[in-house]
Amino acid sequence: MSGTPSTAGVRAATPEDAAFLREMLAIAADWRPGSPTRPVPEVMREPALAHYVAGWPRRGDFGFVGEVERPVGAAWCRLFTADDPGYGFVDGATPEVSIGVRAAARGRGVGTSLLTALVREARRRGHPG
């Protein structure tokens, strides 16, 4: 997959994408270059991480899957409360963003396409930030 640039197709994430979002969460959690990605079950045992995808989709969740012949990345938003905040918690009206892209698809515009779709959808939904 590396080498030539490719345009990612982007589609709305569905309930059927829950397992793929868990995989992308593991990638997002261990994103640093040179860091091995932990197995999905290990990441899901951490409540502070698991709550980003547990029960996908909850009311108010939205996200997108990037595809280059197959799913290669995902970005999604979820609202949290002060009682159960995420790592980037601002307030209950501002969704938190999660994004993961498989290493082989990075640097090819997948992440940009996913974030662009998220911003458009957040604006459409009237989110403040």
Side-chain angles (χ1 to χ4, degrees):
M1 223 184 238
S2 62
T4 59
S6 180
T7 303
V10 175
R11 63 171 175 78
T14 68
E16 291 75 28
D17 292 310
F20 183 67
L21 267 58
R22 288 191 295 271
E23 180 185 342
M24 293 301 98
L25 176 66
I27 287 172
D30 297 326
W31 63 270
R32 289 170 185 81
S35 291
T37 301
R38 291 172 286 168
V40 170
E42 184 178 328
V43 170
M44 293 303 293
R45 282 193 293 270
E46 288 189 35
L49 293 174
H51 75 158
Y52 282 94
V53 293
W56 176 268
R58 297 188 316 204
R59 182 182 171 138
D61 288 350
F62 59 98
F64 296 90
V65 173
E67 298 177 328
V68 180
E69 297 177 18
R70 63 185 177 94
V72 295
W76 63 99
C77 288
R78 179 165 266 190
L79 294 170
F80 292 102
T81 65
D83 294 338
D84 184 27
Y87 287 107
F89 182 76
V90 174
D91 59 43
T94 304
E96 290 197 43
V97 174
S98 299
I99 184 169
V101 176
R102 289 187 173 135
R106 292 180 191 153
R108 303 182 65 193
V110 175
T112 298
S113 295
L114 290 167
L115 288 174
T116 299
L118 276 182
V119 168
R120 283 187 187 134
E121 182 63 13
R123 285 183 180 145
R124 189 188 73 75
R125 291 176 180 232
H127 287 292

